[in-house]
Amino acid sequence: MPKLLPKSLPDLDKEHWKYSNVNAVLAKLELVDQKPLWEMTGAFEFMTVDQEDTIHLIIPKNRKVDKPIDLKLIGEDGKNLHTNVVIDVEEGANVKFVERQVGVGAYWKNISIALNIDANAQVGYYRLCEEDPFCVVTEFMTVNMERDARFNALVVNGCSGFGRNEFKVNLNGAGSEADLAGLALLRGKQHGDTTVCIDHIAPYCKSSQFFKTILEDQSRGVYQGKIHVYKDAQKTDGYQLSNNLLLSPLAEMDVKPELEIYADDVKCSHGTTTGELDETPMFYLRSRGLNEEDARHMLIEAFVGEVLDKVSDEQIRALFDDRVKLWLK
Amino acid sequence: MLKIKNLTAEIDGKQIINGLDLEVKSGEVHAIMGPNGAGKSTLSYVLSGRDGYKVTGGTAELDGVDLLALDPNERAAAGLFLAFQYPVEIPGVQMTNFLKTALNSIRKSRGESELEALDFLKMLKAKQKALDIADEMLKRAVNVGFSGGEKKRNEVLQMAMLEPKFCILDETDSGLDIDALKIVADGVNRLRAPDRSFLVITHYQRLLDYIVPDVVHVLAKGKIVKSGGPELAKELEAKGYAEIVA
Ligand SMILES: Nc1ncnc2c1ncn2[C@@H]1O[C@H](COP(=O)(O)OP(=O)(O)O)[C@@H](O)[C@H]1O
Ligand SMILES: [Mg+2]
């Protein structure tokens, strides 16, 4: 697993990084390296750390882990944190992770997670953040999925000053299914980039991307989503939807949906909308007695709720609800 | 109750309501009939304060309150209710939550306390039953996936819950078969009261067999061109609009 170094972060001339000038942002910060200290609850029995400080979690074959494993990384002012985590979920195992990103001050977290989901194993991955509006967070997650593996992810982002969240999912085994959803909540001058690439390598796989952004003030959101269907990946079912809500005339959203298809028997769909709150439901609610603020609130909560409904676990759902309520004030 | 005098209004600079006069007294039911494009829905939106519908002259008062000076929610609090011609779908907002928020918003602006959850549910149960609305429908998002009939019944349910004093029904009968029409009409008739009035907008005389109006008006080109008793509706049905409007 190659370590992600600051030097290796690409420039804007890379198509993939076109909308997110991370180097320019980092150039403004003076940071010193710090060893990242993850606080992991419920992970102890699964964990090893190698000489390179890469954290390794192995969930053994057919093991069902009842309580979600909590992964928390704290950012500190003036620090660079580069961290590598490798998670192997062995055949038939079943596990959920709650990743929490917190911190205070101006720092850079550069997180690389490799998640390998073996045949018939199931993983739920939930990311919450309560970062500092001055920090920079780049997170890159590679997911390798074998035959009949299941991956469900939900991420709520957008508290960092500059955030980039990237998923690369490789559907290597036939019948594997990946369901990714996310919410970016941006205000002030925040920049939030969600970049997803799903490679349908094997046949009979299914993938779904459902991402929403709410933008206030002068914030800027980016969503790049790609479905890449290989020649042999017949019967692929790929879905992608990006809905974005602009609550300020100065906010900006860049959306780039991409389909690259080499197989001939596939079902792929994508759609994207970016706009203000609709006048019609707004008027409907107000005609029923809700004042403007309450009506806006109700519509924004509904917009967000459609994504949060992806979480079936009630306790995890409650964490997300709290987080979102905090943002909505 | 409702007094409209010489009302004029425009959309996008185009005048649609052209000096409309109308007075509806307490406890009365008035019907407004008229050809497509006459301005019936426009009148209902102007009265309920929709953005983009600009009043350029005249007055509209509800029990002496100047409606035109109020925000849409303030009009609702003042007792105005519009049953939409095309009820609006709101994905992600659950029916029960919507009804409860609406009711409590109105109560709050009237200086009343919010309703306890249990009292609210009791009230809802009683009203939904009368309108043949299943519990399952109230678990869904507002109007999402509702059939035409369900949407119209849902409008009447909201009306029954909010207990307004002036109700505008904009083509609540359109697209309903006779059974669905009866349920809706019964729902409306149950709400008839000495201190509550109705403005029933319809394209078809049929509805007025079930909701019998005190007065029937014909609206054409943005103003009322003829008024009469229930027999006027029958005459319209027989002769068509052309003769009366001309
Ligand atoms: N949003 C709008 N923008 C421009 N013109 C409109 C709009 N809504 C209605 N109109 C016009 O106003 C007139 C009256 O429409 P409407 O009130 O819907 O009629 P009715 O309900 O009587 O069928 C029509 O000529 C229609 O084309
Ligand atoms: Mg109409």
Side-chain angles (χ1 to χ4, degrees), chain A residues 66-255:
Chain A
D66 288 321
K67 281 189 83 171
I69 295 176
D70 216 85
L71 312 173
K72 182 166 154 189
L73 183 61
I74 303 171
E76 266 182 61
D77 191 43
K79 300 291 169 27
N80 258 333
L81 297 94
H82 298 286
T83 176
N84 283 292
V85 179
V86 178
I87 305 173
D88 288 316
V89 181
E90 294 183 349
E91 193 180 330
N94 185 330
V95 62
K96 290 190 179 81
F97 297 93
V98 174
E99 180 192 327
R100 295 164 202 263
Q101 295 299 340
V102 298
V104 177
Y107 51 85
W108 176 28
K109 281 183 188 167
N110 187 22
I111 304 157
S112 172
I113 299 176
L115 171 63
N116 304 310
I117 312 177
D118 210 340
N120 222 28
Q122 301 190 13
V123 176
Y125 200 94
Y126 305 95
R127 186 189 300 147
L128 287 155
C129 65
E130 236 162 280
E131 301 269 21
D132 192 287
F134 290 105
C135 77
V136 177
V137 178
T138 47
E139 178 150 6
F140 182 72
M141 187 165 196
T142 319
V143 186
N144 290 302
M145 300 179 62
E146 301 311 320
R147 196 188 165 87
D148 297 319
R150 296 285 179 273
F151 177 58
N152 287 286
L154 182 77
V155 296
V156 172
N157 292 314
C159 26
S160 53
F162 184 102
R164 157 99 166 188
N165 254 281
E166 190 169 346
F167 280 97
K168 170 78 164 64
V169 179
N170 300 312
L171 297 162
N172 300 314
S176 53
E177 298 182 9
D179 188 322
L180 284 75
L183 208 57
L185 307 171
L186 306 171
R187 61 166 56 116
K189 292 193 168 186
Q190 289 179 317
H191 179 109
D193 176 331
T194 301
T195 295
V196 181
C197 177
I198 305 210
D199 280 8
H200 279 262
I201 299 161
Y204 299 102
C205 295
K206 196 171 166 180
S207 71
S208 167
Q209 303 173 48
F210 184 36
F211 286 87
K212 291 193 176 191
T213 316
I214 301 182
L215 302 106
E216 290 185 350
D217 307 321
Q218 300 177 53
S219 58
R220 185 165 177 213
V222 179
Y223 171 73
Q224 308 183 88
K226 183 169 177 173
I227 306 173
H228 182 179
V229 183
Y230 286 53
K231 190 163 70 60
D232 295 330
Q234 301 296 0
K235 304 290 178 192
T236 284
D237 183 347
Y239 175 83
Q240 188 191 86
L241 185 64
S242 151
N243 298 134
N244 309 295
L245 192 53
L246 288 169
L247 296 179
S248 148
L250 298 176
E252 180 183 329
M253 183 74 208
D254 296 294
V255 181

Side-chain angles (χ1 to χ4, degrees), chain B residues 41 85 170-171:
Chain B
S41 293
Q85 181 174 3
D170 190 359
E171 298 209 21

